[in-house]
Amino acid sequence: MVAATGCRISLSFAAPRLLIPASTARAFATASAFFPDIDKVRYEGPSSRNPLAFKQYAEDEVVAGRTMKEWLRFSIAYWHTWRGNGGDIFGLDGTINRPWEDRALSEMDMALRRVDVNAEFCEKVGAPYYCFHDLDVRPEGATQAESDANFDIVAERLGEVQAASGLKLLWGTANLFTPRRYMNGAATNPDPAVFARAA
């Protein structure tokens, strides 16, 4: 189970159909489902003309007694990388086209697919961590209990991918700004039920 903040409830539900089965321990360094034409990004030095190469970051280079990898804990933020759609305040629906997104799939199947996309991307760029808000990784349910159950399904898959790949969660937290129930704040909300949910 992925560590995350927030209230947890126990619910029974059928296991989802995984797009890439948990029993299949993919060789992340060699298999590629979503970025097949992209090799692992490596350090090539400042003179490299390869747009997909590190020019300054050499993860094993020692700086002030520690490797660059130890100093720089790169993390892929789920919202900024996988969930933002490129929309703007003037009503554009979004300008980002992600080829793995498929509207024919259920929201849950897409959430589970994004877990695998994220893992492959992190491996390719050498990011050992990722981070998310609960709303970034799971579909919103009709009720809070359904939303929590959806999170549990996705969290189980995130945990499986972490175990198979070595990817680590830097932080996972609740989104206390997008849902309408927080329009008057979360910790400052005058509704005790909303305040309690935020806490």
Side-chain angles (χ1 to χ4, degrees):
M1 183 62 140
V2 174
T5 60
C7 299
R8 308 299 323 148
I9 59 171
S10 296
L11 296 173
S12 297
F13 47 84
R17 178 181 59 85
L18 298 177
L19 298 174
I20 298 176
S23 60
T24 304
R26 292 193 299 153
F28 285 93
T30 57
S32 181
F34 304 103
F35 306 98
D37 299 326
I38 309 272
D39 292 327
K40 183 171 173 65
V41 178
R42 302 189 187 287
Y43 173 75
E44 293 182 8
S47 61
S48 173
R49 298 188 54 85
N50 178 357
L52 293 178
F54 292 115
K55 312 298 191 284
Q56 306 300 326
Y57 174 71
E59 66 179 24
D60 296 324
E61 183 177 328
V62 176
V63 177
R66 296 169 81 183
T67 65
M68 284 187 160
K69 187 173 185 175
E70 292 172 307
W71 283 115
L72 304 169
R73 294 171 33 145
F74 293 118
S75 176
I76 303 303
Y78 231 85
W79 166 252
H80 300 288
T81 312
W82 311 122
R83 302 302 289 136
N85 69 0
D88 70 17
I89 59 170
F90 300 108
L92 290 179
D93 193 22
T95 58
I96 297 175
N97 176 23
R98 294 184 174 97
W100 50 84
E101 295 286 327
D102 185 347
R103 292 184 182 192
L105 294 177
S106 72
E107 287 187 51
M108 181 56 73
D109 280 343
M110 272 314 312
L112 294 170
R113 178 181 279 186
R114 282 184 212 106
V115 170
D116 295 312
V117 171
N118 182 63
E120 183 180 328
F121 182 80
C122 288
E123 189 279 326
K124 296 264 182 168
V125 300
Y129 301 97
Y130 72 107
C131 54
F132 63 78
H133 298 96
D134 57 348
L135 210 66
D136 303 339
V137 296
R138 58 118 172 113
E140 183 76 4
T143 65
Q144 189 60 54
E146 188 179 323
S147 293
D148 289 345
N150 288 344
F151 180 80
D152 289 342
I153 293 168
V154 177
E156 182 176 342
R157 180 65 186 140
L158 287 165
E160 292 165 353
V161 167
Q162 284 180 209
S165 68
L167 185 62
K168 298 177 190 81
L169 180 64
L170 185 61
W171 58 260
T173 190
N175 177 330
L176 301 179
F177 46 91
T178 303
R180 292 175 186 229
R181 67 181 158 269
Y182 299 122
M183 65 183 250
N184 293 315
T188 58
N189 200 295
D191 183 335
V194 173
F195 174 83
R197 179 65 206 168

